[in-house]
Amino acid sequence: MTTLAPPLSPAPAGHALRRAAPALLVYAGVRALGLAVLAVWGAAAGKSPHTLLAARWDSLWYTRVAEHGYGWQVRLPDGSVHSNLAFFPLLPWLERLVSAVSPLSYADAGLVVSWLASLFAAAGIFAVADHLYGRRAGVCAVALWAVLPVGIVQSMAYSESLFTAVAAWSLYAVLRERWVLAGVLASCAGLTRPVGAAVVAAVWVAAAVQVYREGRVHREGRADRRMLLGVALAPLGAAGYVLWVGHRTGGGLFGYLDVQAGWGNGFDFGYAFARFIGEKFTSVPGALAGIGLVVGVALVVRLYVVGVRQGQPLPLLVYTGIVVALALCAAGYFGSKPRLLMPAFPLLLPLAVALARLRTSRSALVLGGVAVVGAVYGAFWLHGSGPP
């Protein structure tokens, strides 16, 4: 299995930007295609693309947190309570900041944050893939992340792009042994989504393995302190918010779990999801959807196994494993599972390596075709009745 690479001297910012430029241009082009198809579809359907991207479903909850703070909730007819305490604060904090320094509304500020974050996420994915497998694989990894069928979420005022950005750069910092930066970014990930625990775990495991394999006694004491500081910083974001929610709700350490339970969310080791898939096979049309879900889950598991055999560094495997486990083994709204898997970008690295071995024209043809299909599917998805 690949171990952590030795720390390298930081490359000049200009050189790093030039190296990543092709990946960022590809990413921007794919996302522009997705937005163009959404605009055309919206014009035909009489729906506003702006509303679909900035003012529906979870984006409304983030906007309300940015505008009014926490404490707002909805009680449903069945007695369950949907509280905005379920939404972590980094995205609404940034929405509030952007709105305060610009004429933008909170909703439009959310779009700006998401679009900028998606570029930083693409750059982080490129940095990780380039560091491990080379520049061509880095470009292909970014392209694959962009053309995901649910890639339109990257352009919504949701937290997936922001989370992927801080997670990817934290993992890259771990691979470069920049422990303090890795810890700070892991803490930011913990302030963005509950799955920020995956980034924290990656930092902790990487540090533990490094100590075990190499022995930090042979390094300067200053290096030891940097590692310990990064390890200590990593969980502060998630722990701070969860403890605050527990104090505010009176639920103590389990207060945030109670909030999530009000939304019907909880970790049940995949029982509810398996039952949901099983129920699809009670009818012929449903059986086709059920087969598609089984194939999708099998593909995710297969890509993870290939990543293990490929020798991906342990921090990436730990991060990806936790993201996948939380996405597939939690109860809740099952239509959201594809976007919950979106931050698990290391799953795409085996495909990126394979594409990088093809001639540029052939890989471009493959990615271009998938990009068109993904753009159409994304427009169809957002024009549905349920949230993504």
Side-chain angles (χ1 to χ4, degrees):
M1 181 176 293
T2 304
T3 58
L4 301 187
L8 303 174
S9 57
H15 172 74
L17 183 59
R18 286 192 299 272
R19 187 169 181 82
L24 296 180
L25 289 174
V26 168
Y27 179 78
V30 173
R31 293 279 27 95
L33 173 63
L35 293 175
V37 172
L38 179 65
V40 172
W41 195 302
K47 292 186 178 181
S48 166
H50 177 269
T51 300
L52 293 173
L53 294 171
R56 288 188 74 186
W57 304 303
D58 288 9
S59 58
L60 287 175
W61 288 87
Y62 285 117
T63 298
R64 290 187 181 115
V65 172
E67 187 172 3
H68 302 294
Y70 286 102
W72 191 79
Q73 63 185 30
V74 175
R75 184 173 295 275
L76 302 184
D78 63 0
S80 61
V81 175
H82 288 186
S83 168
N84 65 359
L85 290 169
F87 295 87
F88 278 51
L90 186 58
L91 176 58
W93 284 350
L94 293 175
E95 289 178 344
R96 184 178 297 178
L97 175 63
V98 172
S99 183
V101 299
S102 72
L104 296 175
S105 65
Y106 291 111
D108 288 337
L111 279 182
V112 169
V113 171
S114 183
W115 290 358
L116 291 176
S118 70
L119 287 173
F120 278 101
I125 293 170
F126 171 82
V128 171
D130 178 33
H131 181 71
L132 294 174
Y133 306 112
R135 189 182 190 187
R136 284 178 62 87
V139 174
C140 290
V142 170
L144 286 168
W145 193 67
V147 303
L148 288 174
V150 295
I152 190 65
V153 174
Q154 298 163 17
S155 300
M156 298 177 67
Y158 271 41
S159 60
E160 272 71 20
S161 290
L162 179 61
F163 176 79
T164 305
V166 291
W169 282 110
S170 180
L171 292 170
Y172 178 69
V174 167
L175 296 177
R176 298 288 293 269
E177 295 188 27
R178 296 174 182 172
W179 297 106
V180 176
L181 178 60
V184 170
L185 291 173
S187 187
C188 290
L191 285 170
T192 308
R193 296 189 62 83
V195 75
V199 189
V200 178
V203 174
W204 283 1
V205 168
V209 170
Q210 197 79 335
V211 170
Y212 176 77
R213 287 182 176 174
E214 297 183 8
R216 305 307 291 179
V217 295
H218 300 298
R219 299 288 186 91
E220 296 178 2
R222 184 174 57 182
D224 286 339
R225 290 194 295 269
R226 286 198 297 267
M227 176 185 285
L228 292 174
L229 180 57
V231 167
L233 289 171
L236 294 185
Y241 183 68
V242 168
L243 290 174
W244 179 80
V245 170
H247 174 74
R248 184 182 177 102
T249 62
L253 292 175
F254 302 101
Y256 183 76
L257 296 180
D258 294 336
V259 170
Q260 285 287 3
W263 283 81
N265 297 327
F267 192 84
D268 62 358
F269 298 93
Y271 172 75
F273 187 39
R275 187 176 61 182
F276 173 77
I277 294 176
E279 291 172 350
K280 293 293 184 182
F281 290 92
T282 58
S283 66
V284 175
L288 296 176
I291 292 172
L293 289 171
V294 171
V295 171
V297 172
L299 177 61
V300 169
V301 175
R302 174 62 178 169
L303 287 174
Y304 185 78
V305 171
V306 173
V308 174
R309 293 175 176 173
Q310 189 183 50
Q312 286 186 17
L314 186 59
L316 267 64
L317 295 175
V318 169
Y319 166 79
T320 306
I322 294 176
V323 172
V324 170
L326 291 178
L328 297 183
C329 298
Y333 180 66
F334 301 111
S336 295
K337 290 192 180 293
R339 72 171 173 86
L340 297 180
L341 286 167
M342 187 184 303
F345 68 89
L347 290 174
L348 303 173
L349 294 181
L351 298 176
V353 171
L355 280 174
R357 292 173 180 155
L358 301 178
R359 287 183 298 184
T360 301
S361 58
R362 184 168 298 180
S363 59
L365 182 63
V366 171
L367 291 169
V370 177
V372 172
V373 173
V376 173
Y377 179 80
F380 166 78
W381 198 36
L382 286 197
H383 280 83
S385 57

